[in-house]
Amino acid sequence: MIKQWTRALVILSTLLLFTINVPALHMPGNNKNILYINSNNLGYPYTDQIVSGLSSVLDTTQGVNYYMEFMDTQRLMDSLTFVHFYENITRKYSSINFDAIIATEKSAVDFFVNYKDSLLFKDKAFIFSGIPDIDEYDFTGIDACGIIEGRELEQLFYSMHRLFPKRKNVHIFMTSSKTDSIYRNNISDFNEEFDLANYNIITDLSNDAIIQFLKTLGEEDMAFVINSNYDHTGTFKPYNNVFNHIKEPLNIPVFTDIKTRVKGFTGGKKKPGKTYGKMMAQMAIKRINNEQVKPQFIHPHVKLQYNYQELKRFNVNFSLLPRDAVIVNKPKSFFSKFKELFLVNILFILSTAAIIIILIFNNINLRKYRVNLESARDKAMQSESVKTSFIANVSHEIRTPLNAIIGFSDILMIENEDENLDEYIKHINKSSHILVRLVNDVLDLSLIDANEIKLNYNLVHLPTFMDEIIQRNLIQLDQKDKHKIRLKLKPPKEEPEELYTDQLRLNQVIQNLISNAIKYSVKGTITLSYNFVEKEEVQKLTKASNFNLAHNTYCLISVRDYGIGIPQELKNFVFERFRRLDQVYLGHHGGVGLGLNISKSIINIMGGEIWFTSTQGKGSTFSFIVPQLHTEQFTESDNDA
Ligand code: ADP
């Protein structure tokens, strides 16, 4: 009785876990298109931050394609820039109908407004950031929403004077650009507000010249530097900002407006580019799903930030900082050190647990204890079943917290604002996914060995099913693979389109073959194909293998790649458990060598066969067949296979 209960529980938790772990299948086709236009170019730190925020959301949103264009107006702006840019993108995107346009910074917004009635932009949802004043624009007839980034400096200047009351002379370095003129107007009001201070505005100096200037200043001076990206010839260089030029500590406090400039600056406004990028992407998704964005124009509160090391150096009284000040460059507190250690420990414990399961599974050879006596054999059989349920239960216990780690790290990847933690979070997320796969594989192995794999048959609509697999893999392709590897579905020439089979298991095997094809390819097209074939055709195809084919019609599914291929002498080991060929002939690709062994067992249990052809250096084709059963043909024994 207890045994039956344990089995029922194991099966229930297994089914539940499979449901949890199979990624949501979504409807193919009908993808929405978003065009993102940025006034600047990649490599400009603030642009990089916005783009990384945008991509982090759009990369993880199913059913959205996005395209990015950079105007680089800081370097290229002339009277024809808009015309050329417009011609260029209309030609490039002539076959795409965009659902939303996102623009960052003044020139990109101006560009959209200028061409708002063009074929490309008319009636499109428009999302923007980086403009300081909404009143400058006439958005009538435009479905616009966005983030207004104020250029107000009062709060910052108030804080500068509070922290350094003796430094009455404020030297302000800026460019003669339109954007900076807004700062200039703002600062001109300060003479009245902070009446004892002197403001000295200096425009268009090169970075070297600014540093030289700063070095001449003394006890009564401090500085505020914006947009100082000019080299000694006066050419704008986005990669080249003044703070990269500071080689030794300056005598005076220097304030600025951009987040990433930690070195050499004392404080400034915190421009959360990544957060703005994420916010715009979320607004765009809402708009293309016809949801309202409320409020339509957001004025985020901008915090001030300070460099801990510099404040210490100038002996600043920390209690004078604004209440919500962000302090960067702080020595790590015991807690934050502990926090990273804690995360690493969780991973370590989980990896150890997974390894222990594998070892238990691999090493405990229960058969050693089976003696001829019947009672002993009974005991051994019991312990085999105990082992299976033990592995199933432990797998469940590991998988539940692992799923929590994956879920929370997914959220953290979007929500986290501390770039120093981004890498850790990515590692945790990736490692947890690998562990879940490992635990799933170990559980499958134990079920296979205990003859406990249960198949759940249902009618599967193959065109939809296969297309979903392709779409899912396209979304999950790593950024680095995206440009080199293509994924394609080759549908059959003829009907029928439906297969009576276990959808989750079929998905598991195809997914495994595609993952391998991606893993062992550097470039080229990976093709998933399926077809219905008669028994005789399969025999012809696989004559050397002598498969025992019990059914008349089979569904033949293949995954073809142009990857590294498999050397002749290693071909016999491919389906062996824990065999990893690439350890022998290539670098390490990740994986433990269980996938194909499990796939083969599952296919055999389903009444099918799996095989491959491969040429080293040219690529591989993994193929398998599963019987085409008809509902009425489907018997109890098939289900219990
Ligand atoms: P792994 O987790 O190592 O990928 P698998 O059981 O899925 O384990 O595959 C076993 C071995 O077969 C791999 O280590 C790899 O060497 C080889 N292999 C599998 N698929 C391919 C492929 N498409 N191209 C080249 N080699 C492959």
Side-chain angles (χ1 to χ4, degrees):
M1 186 67 182
I2 291 175
K3 206 171 144 193
Q4 274 170 358
W5 266 106
T6 324
R7 274 171 177 234
L9 268 175
V10 171
I11 293 164
L12 202 74
S13 53
T14 315
L15 287 176
L16 194 76
L17 288 168
F18 279 129
T19 350
I20 293 170
N21 282 291
V22 171
L25 302 177
H26 69 101
M27 287 308 290
N30 290 339
N31 272 6
K32 300 281 189 186
N33 296 309
I34 297 179
L35 175 64
Y36 173 65
I37 307 174
N38 191 303
S39 304
N40 299 316
N41 210 343
L42 290 172
Y44 189 53
Y46 189 57
T47 304
D48 289 350
Q49 286 173 26
I50 296 212
V51 166
S52 110
L54 266 168
S55 319
S56 72
V57 174
L58 297 179
D59 278 344
T60 50
T61 308
Q62 296 197 342
V64 170
N65 300 327
Y66 65 99
Y67 306 84
M68 295 197 166
E69 289 296 333
F70 299 90
M71 300 176 79
D72 208 359
T73 50
Q74 301 249 22
R75 273 184 292 203
L76 307 176
M77 194 65 174
D78 61 30
S79 58
L80 287 176
T81 301
F82 277 15
V83 180
H84 289 156
F85 188 68
Y86 181 73
E87 274 171 10
N88 189 6
I89 60 173
T90 15
R91 205 174 317 120
K92 194 161 161 188
Y93 299 115
S94 59
S95 60
I96 297 178
N97 184 19
F98 288 107
D99 298 278
I101 313 292
I102 309 180
T104 299
E105 299 281 322
K106 200 170 164 3
S107 301
V109 176
D110 286 348
F111 176 76
F112 178 89
V113 174
N114 200 32
Y115 288 95
K116 67 178 181 188
D117 294 322
S118 68
L119 215 55
L120 200 63
F121 294 162
K122 196 169 168 52
D123 298 331
K124 302 293 149 82
F126 178 57
I127 300 94
F128 65 83
S129 75
I131 57 168
D133 194 354
I134 192 80
D135 296 335
E136 253 186 65
Y137 292 91
D138 177 13
F139 282 146
T140 26
I142 301 179
D143 176 10
C145 54
I147 303 163
I148 319 279
E149 290 177 46
R151 299 263 191 264
E152 304 82 21
L153 294 173
E154 281 92 340
Q155 207 200 349
L156 175 64
F157 274 59
Y158 175 78
S159 156
M160 283 161 59
H161 289 302
R162 195 168 143 86
L163 295 177
F164 299 99
K166 289 194 185 130
R167 297 181 183 269
K168 300 283 182 209
N169 305 323
V170 186
H171 304 272
I172 299 159
F173 300 86
M174 60 171 70
T175 71
S176 49
S177 72
K178 249 189 179 177
T179 314
D180 285 4
S181 69
I182 302 165
Y183 281 121
R184 213 168 337 187
N185 295 340
N186 194 215
I187 291 166
S188 65
D189 299 338
F190 292 173
N191 288 323
E192 285 170 28
E193 210 166 319
F194 308 112
D195 50 357
L196 293 174
N198 310 311
Y199 295 100
N200 172 24
I201 297 181
I202 305 136
T203 38
D204 294 340
L205 278 197
S206 76
N207 289 333
D208 291 336
I210 293 176
I211 306 282
Q212 287 314 320
F213 197 123
L214 292 176
K215 280 185 179 164
T216 63
L217 300 174
E219 275 180 6
E220 296 195 344
D221 301 299
M222 59 181 162
F224 176 67
V225 184
I226 13 172
N227 279 350
S228 50
N229 298 75
Y230 292 87
D231 71 5
H232 63 282
T233 64
T235 316
F236 181 81
K237 292 265 166 64
Y239 306 91
N240 179 18
N241 80 59
V242 71
F243 293 94
N244 297 340
H245 288 240
I246 301 177
K247 300 281 183 285
E248 58 215 53
L250 294 162
N251 291 334
I252 61 153
V254 182
F255 289 81
T256 183
D257 68 334
I258 290 191
K259 182 185 172 185
T260 47
R261 298 169 178 172
V262 170
K263 194 171 143 199
F265 92 103
T266 314
K269 284 169 71 167
K270 179 174 159 64
K271 266 178 96 179
K274 195 165 176 185
T275 308
Y276 290 171
K278 285 176 193 170
M279 283 165 75
M280 285 197 293
Q282 281 151 354
M283 286 175 166
I285 290 164
K286 275 198 170 177
R287 292 303 298 120
I288 57 185
N289 289 328
N290 285 325
E291 286 172 45
Q292 274 307 321
V293 177
K294 284 181 191 152
Q296 209 180 350
F297 301 120
I298 299 172
H299 294 77
H301 166 68
V302 178
K303 291 183 182 172
L304 296 182
Q305 61 172 345
Y306 301 87
N307 184 349
Y308 180 90
Q309 308 291 354
E310 289 292 288
L311 293 184
K312 277 275 170 209
R313 197 161 67 86
F314 290 112
N315 270 331
V316 167
N317 177 356
F318 277 66
S319 68
L320 298 177
L321 295 176
R323 222 180 309 155
D324 62 352
V326 178
I327 300 189
V328 296
N329 222 6
K330 231 193 310 200
K332 283 206 170 89
S333 69
F334 175 74
F335 174 71
S336 61
K337 268 186 207 157
F338 174 73
K339 194 168 68 180
E340 280 156 25
L341 209 65
F342 176 68
L343 293 173
V344 172
N345 269 342
I346 292 182
L347 268 183
F348 178 73
I349 292 168
L350 289 170
S351 330
T352 319
I355 290 165
I356 289 172
I357 296 176
I358 292 174
L359 289 179
I360 289 173
F361 177 76
N362 208 16
N363 292 342
I364 296 181
N365 188 351
L366 287 172
R367 258 157 283 181
K368 192 166 84 186
Y369 300 108
R370 280 192 200 150
V371 285
N372 284 338
L373 293 169
E374 216 169 80
S375 61
R377 188 160 62 228
D378 281 354
K379 253 192 210 161
M381 281 167 71
Q382 209 181 346
S383 51
E384 187 73 44
S385 138
V386 168
K387 187 184 86 178
T388 308
S389 53
F390 168 75
I391 290 174
N393 287 336
V394 177
S395 305
H396 173 73
E397 292 308 321
I398 292 177
R399 225 174 337 185
T400 312
L402 261 182
N403 279 328
I405 296 175
I406 290 176
F408 286 125
S409 54
D410 277 345
I411 296 174
L412 270 180
M413 283 210 283
I414 296 180
E415 299 283 315
N416 175 47
E417 284 195 12
D418 184 347
E419 277 159 20
N420 301 330
L421 290 182
D422 272 359
E423 274 305 295
Y424 294 120
I425 298 169
K426 245 193 248 162
H427 278 304
I428 290 173
N429 193 274
K430 202 168 162 196
S431 312
S432 319
H433 275 286
I434 293 173
L435 272 181
V436 166
R437 227 184 46 220
L438 196 64
V439 174
N440 280 344
D441 282 355
V442 172
L443 176 63
D444 272 350
L445 279 189
S446 75
L447 291 174
I448 288 167
D449 284 2
N451 228 350
E452 293 254 19
I453 291 268
K454 297 278 183 271
L455 299 175
N456 285 297
Y457 277 77
N458 44 25
L459 217 46
V460 177
H461 184 251
L462 288 176
T464 316
F465 171 74
M466 298 288 180
D467 195 54
E468 280 165 353
I469 294 182
I470 294 287
Q471 296 301 332
R472 201 170 59 229
N473 278 282
L474 276 174
I475 291 168
Q476 283 164 4
L477 262 190
D478 270 357
Q479 210 61 32
K480 67 175 171 32
D481 290 337
K482 250 179 196 161
H483 309 290
K484 296 188 201 142
I485 295 179
R486 292 163 60 88
L487 272 178
K488 194 175 88 185
L489 177 65
K490 189 173 153 209
K493 291 183 202 88
E494 306 162 21
E495 307 271 314
E497 294 186 323
E498 285 183 330
L499 182 67
Y500 199 57
T501 189
D502 183 319
Q503 176 167 349
L504 290 185
R505 290 300 185 184
L506 189 67
N507 178 64
Q508 182 182 353
V509 175
I510 300 175
Q511 185 53 53
N512 184 26
L513 298 186
I514 294 186
S515 301
N516 277 349
I518 296 172
K519 194 157 60 170
Y520 300 108
S521 293
V522 186
K523 58 181 179 24
T525 303
I526 294 166
T527 313
L528 168 66
S529 60
Y530 64 101
N531 233 323
F532 284 91
V533 285
E534 297 302 312
K535 176 180 174 172
E536 294 71 30
E537 236 174 297
V538 181
Q539 275 162 345
K540 244 194 267 167
L541 265 173
T542 61
K543 32 182 190 313
S545 308
N546 261 338
F547 290 143
N548 184 14
L549 304 173
H551 297 266
N552 289 331
T553 316
Y554 287 87
C555 180
L556 167 66
I557 298 172
S558 299
V559 175
R560 176 189 182 142
D561 67 62
Y562 291 91
I564 61 173
I566 299 168
Q568 189 59 32
E569 65 278 14
L570 296 176
K571 283 185 176 166
N572 286 339
F573 305 113
V574 166
F575 291 109
E576 266 186 26
R577 203 172 274 187
F578 300 116
R579 254 329 168 113
R580 303 213 59 246
L581 310 182
D582 65 306
Q583 275 166 0
V584 186
Y585 70 98
L586 251 188
H588 191 75
H589 285 87
V592 288
L594 282 176
L596 285 178
N597 179 273
I598 293 173
S599 297
K600 181 173 164 55
S601 302
I602 291 174
I603 292 302
N604 290 156
I605 291 167
M606 289 167 100
E609 295 288 352
I610 183 165
W611 68 94
F612 69 93
T613 54
S614 181
T615 312
Q616 189 176 6
K618 297 227 161 111
S620 319
T621 304
F622 279 81
S623 306
F624 68 89
I625 45 167
V626 281
Q628 162 74 314
L629 302 167
H630 297 288
T631 330
E632 61 274 15
Q633 229 181 305
F634 178 66
T635 61
E636 252 331 275
S637 63
D638 283 320
N639 207 14
D640 279 349

PDB file of all heavy atoms in Angstrom, residues 127 136 287 290 293 532 575:
ATOM      1  N   ILE A 127       7.480  56.270 -28.623  1.00  0.00           N
ATOM      2  CA  ILE A 127       7.947  56.286 -27.232  1.00  0.00           C
ATOM      3  C   ILE A 127       9.312  56.972 -27.234  1.00  0.00           C
ATOM      4  O   ILE A 127      10.144  56.677 -28.088  1.00  0.00           O
ATOM      5  CB  ILE A 127       8.087  54.840 -26.689  1.00  0.00           C
ATOM      6  CG1 ILE A 127       6.741  54.129 -26.732  1.00  0.00           C
ATOM      7  CG2 ILE A 127       8.593  54.829 -25.256  1.00  0.00           C
ATOM      8  CD1 ILE A 127       6.472  53.330 -27.925  1.00  0.00           C
ATOM      9  N   GLU A 136       8.446  72.052 -25.989  1.00  0.00           N
ATOM     10  CA  GLU A 136       9.142  72.361 -27.239  1.00  0.00           C
ATOM     11  C   GLU A 136       8.521  71.634 -28.427  1.00  0.00           C
ATOM     12  O   GLU A 136       8.774  71.974 -29.571  1.00  0.00           O
ATOM     13  CB  GLU A 136      10.572  71.831 -27.128  1.00  0.00           C
ATOM     14  CG  GLU A 136      11.606  72.877 -26.949  1.00  0.00           C
ATOM     15  CD  GLU A 136      12.968  72.221 -27.016  1.00  0.00           C
ATOM     16  OE1 GLU A 136      13.335  71.702 -28.078  1.00  0.00           O
ATOM     17  OE2 GLU A 136      13.634  72.213 -25.968  1.00  0.00           O
ATOM     18  N   ARG A 287       2.009  49.622 -25.486  1.00  0.00           N
ATOM     19  CA  ARG A 287       1.348  50.310 -26.589  1.00  0.00           C
ATOM     20  C   ARG A 287       1.034  49.358 -27.742  1.00  0.00           C
ATOM     21  O   ARG A 287      -0.028  49.432 -28.326  1.00  0.00           O
ATOM     22  CB  ARG A 287       2.199  51.488 -27.098  1.00  0.00           C
ATOM     23  CG  ARG A 287       2.352  52.649 -26.144  1.00  0.00           C
ATOM     24  CD  ARG A 287       1.008  53.260 -25.706  1.00  0.00           C
ATOM     25  NE  ARG A 287       0.251  53.807 -26.818  1.00  0.00           N
ATOM     26  CZ  ARG A 287      -0.952  53.408 -27.167  1.00  0.00           C
ATOM     27  NH1 ARG A 287      -1.565  52.439 -26.502  1.00  0.00           N
ATOM     28  NH2 ARG A 287      -1.562  53.950 -28.189  1.00  0.00           N
ATOM     29  N   ASN A 290      -1.972  47.536 -27.356  1.00  0.00           N
ATOM     30  CA  ASN A 290      -3.125  48.443 -27.234  1.00  0.00           C
ATOM     31  C   ASN A 290      -3.499  48.778 -25.806  1.00  0.00           C
ATOM     32  O   ASN A 290      -4.661  48.978 -25.491  1.00  0.00           O
ATOM     33  CB  ASN A 290      -4.349  47.870 -27.955  1.00  0.00           C
ATOM     34  CG  ASN A 290      -4.190  48.017 -29.429  1.00  0.00           C
ATOM     35  OD1 ASN A 290      -3.606  49.015 -29.885  1.00  0.00           O
ATOM     36  ND2 ASN A 290      -4.649  47.032 -30.170  1.00  0.00           N
ATOM     37  N   VAL A 293      -0.601  53.820 -21.555  1.00  0.00           N
ATOM     38  CA  VAL A 293       0.517  54.027 -20.628  1.00  0.00           C
ATOM     39  C   VAL A 293       0.125  55.174 -19.720  1.00  0.00           C
ATOM     40  O   VAL A 293      -0.240  56.240 -20.193  1.00  0.00           O
ATOM     41  CB  VAL A 293       1.794  54.399 -21.397  1.00  0.00           C
ATOM     42  CG1 VAL A 293       2.919  54.680 -20.438  1.00  0.00           C
ATOM     43  CG2 VAL A 293       2.157  53.297 -22.365  1.00  0.00           C
ATOM     44  N   PHE A 532       6.292  11.779 -43.179  1.00  0.00           N
ATOM     45  CA  PHE A 532       5.755  10.449 -42.867  1.00  0.00           C
ATOM     46  C   PHE A 532       6.324   9.447 -43.860  1.00  0.00           C
ATOM     47  O   PHE A 532       6.359   9.718 -45.062  1.00  0.00           O
ATOM     48  CB  PHE A 532       4.230  10.475 -42.906  1.00  0.00           C
ATOM     49  CG  PHE A 532       3.688  11.130 -41.674  1.00  0.00           C
ATOM     50  CD1 PHE A 532       3.447  12.497 -41.637  1.00  0.00           C
ATOM     51  CD2 PHE A 532       3.472  10.392 -40.520  1.00  0.00           C
ATOM     52  CE1 PHE A 532       2.991  13.112 -40.499  1.00  0.00           C
ATOM     53  CE2 PHE A 532       3.014  11.001 -39.374  1.00  0.00           C
ATOM     54  CZ  PHE A 532       2.771  12.361 -39.359  1.00  0.00           C
ATOM     55  N   PHE A 575      25.797   7.291 -28.380  1.00  0.00           N
ATOM     56  CA  PHE A 575      24.595   7.089 -27.552  1.00  0.00           C
ATOM     57  C   PHE A 575      24.931   6.507 -26.176  1.00  0.00           C
ATOM     58  O   PHE A 575      24.043   6.169 -25.419  1.00  0.00           O
ATOM     59  CB  PHE A 575      23.601   6.170 -28.269  1.00  0.00           C
ATOM     60  CG  PHE A 575      22.993   6.826 -29.475  1.00  0.00           C
ATOM     61  CD1 PHE A 575      23.331   6.425 -30.758  1.00  0.00           C
ATOM     62  CD2 PHE A 575      22.090   7.871 -29.322  1.00  0.00           C
ATOM     63  CE1 PHE A 575      22.779   7.044 -31.863  1.00  0.00           C
ATOM     64  CE2 PHE A 575      21.528   8.497 -30.429  1.00  0.00           C
ATOM     65  CZ  PHE A 575      21.873   8.084 -31.699  1.00  0.00           C
TER      66      PHE A 575
END
